[in-house]
Amino acid sequence: MNENVHVITHPLVQHKLTVARSEDTTTDNFRRLVREIAQMMAYEITRDLPTELITIKTPVATCQAPVISGKKLCLVSILRAGTGMLDGMIDLLPNARIGHIGLYRDPETLKAIEYYFKVPDDVQDRLVIVLDPMLATGNSAAAALAHLKGAGITSLRLACILAAPEGLAAVQAEHPDVPIWVAAVDERLNDHGYIVPGLGDAGDRIFGTK
Ligand code: URA
């Protein structure tokens, strides 16, 4: 782990993550918690966005006040679990464009297989935040980042709720230029590629498919 990895230690994020981890948390609560954690992650990930002063008139006086400037944003959800983070991010970043990358893990090899890729036409001009709640082996995130770089994108950030040290190391080895935000870095991966202690299968828990 290096200075390119940002662990969000805010007590609200940590509390909500703990509730989300519990196997007793219901699907509707899990989905809401992921959305709320994503909102707070959006706040942290955008902390260094540039601003510029514009002139506005309040009901009381004319003044100069800051607005966000610089590159426009694009959120890219890695299907399907990334979609659980999308609404929370959009809550805070309503003008962002949205892209989707469909990847699934081959259960034998744990390698990422791509089946869908759709991003806005002007994506190479945008700051792209990739959403992948579970950075386990890192294969999906690394493949998504490689594809996005291949599409000409130069400004990339990765948002994950949980990471395994193995996944972080893999993504950092392949994409040392991409900063990563996580709510927690867990102990390890198990033999099935699940994060330990983790929270189980994020997609299944968001969509209630198991
Ligand atoms: N994907 C998940 O949803 N959970 C894990 O623990 C690992 C990958």
Side-chain angles (χ1 to χ4, degrees), residues 105 134 136 193-195 200-203:
R105 284 203 301 181
M134 305 299 278
Y194 278 86
I195 298 175
D201 187 301

Side-chain angles (χ1 to χ4, degrees), residues 108-179:
E108 299 295 317
T109 63
L110 303 182
K111 291 257 176 285
I113 315 282
E114 186 178 305
Y115 62 90
Y116 188 74
F117 185 83
K118 183 79 180 173
V119 293
D121 286 344
D122 63 352
V123 72
Q124 63 282 353
D125 301 327
R126 293 177 179 266
L127 166 60
V128 174
I129 303 173
V130 178
L131 312 179
D132 185 9
M134 305 299 278
L135 192 64
T137 60
N139 290 341
S140 301
L145 292 169
H147 197 141
L148 291 165
K149 285 180 180 176
I153 299 158
T154 52
S155 300
L156 281 157
R157 298 180 179 192
L158 176 62
C160 308
I161 291 180
L162 276 185
E166 297 90 330
L168 270 183
V171 171
Q172 288 196 292
E174 216 175 306
H175 302 286
D177 54 313
V178 178

